């Protein structure tokens, strides 16, 4: 179903943006890191907190904000 696919893509975008942002940060590429982290924050919606994929660990919104700091 189209709505479910859209939600899955948003979740994947948030998690991939976080992973790429952290990786670039550790590599010393701050500009690229912030671009990825900002993309993740733009895609993140607090209503996603109840999704099982986000309950398995830390809240991606909190992690993205923490990495941007």
């Amino acid at each position: 179903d189209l709505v479910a696919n859209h939600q899955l893509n948003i979740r994947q975008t948030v998690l991939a943006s976080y992973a790429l942002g952290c990786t670039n940060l550790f590599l010393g590429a701050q500009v690229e890191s912030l671009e990825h982290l900002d993309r993740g924050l733009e895609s993140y919606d607090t209503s996603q907190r109840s999704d099982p994929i986000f309950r398995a660990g830390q809240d991606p919104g909190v992690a993205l904000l923490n990495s941007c700091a």
Side-chain angles (χ1 to χ4, degrees), residues 7-18:
Q7 289 295 346
L8 179 60
N9 288 339
I10 290 172
R11 288 183 218 125
Q12 291 172 339
T13 298
V14 170
L15 295 175
S17 296
Y18 176 64

Side-chain angles (χ1 to χ4, degrees), residues 8-50:
L8 179 60
N9 288 339
I10 290 172
R11 288 183 218 125
Q12 291 172 339
T13 298
V14 170
L15 295 175
S17 296
Y18 176 64
L20 289 168
C22 287
T23 300
N24 278 295
L25 183 63
F26 294 134
L27 291 173
Q30 288 87 3
V31 173
E32 292 85 354
S33 173
L34 285 175
E35 289 172 358
H36 290 293
L37 295 170
D38 286 340
R39 184 176 309 124
L41 284 171
E42 290 170 5
S43 299
Y44 182 72
D45 180 5
T46 56
S47 68
Q48 296 172 340
R49 290 179 182 173
S50 63

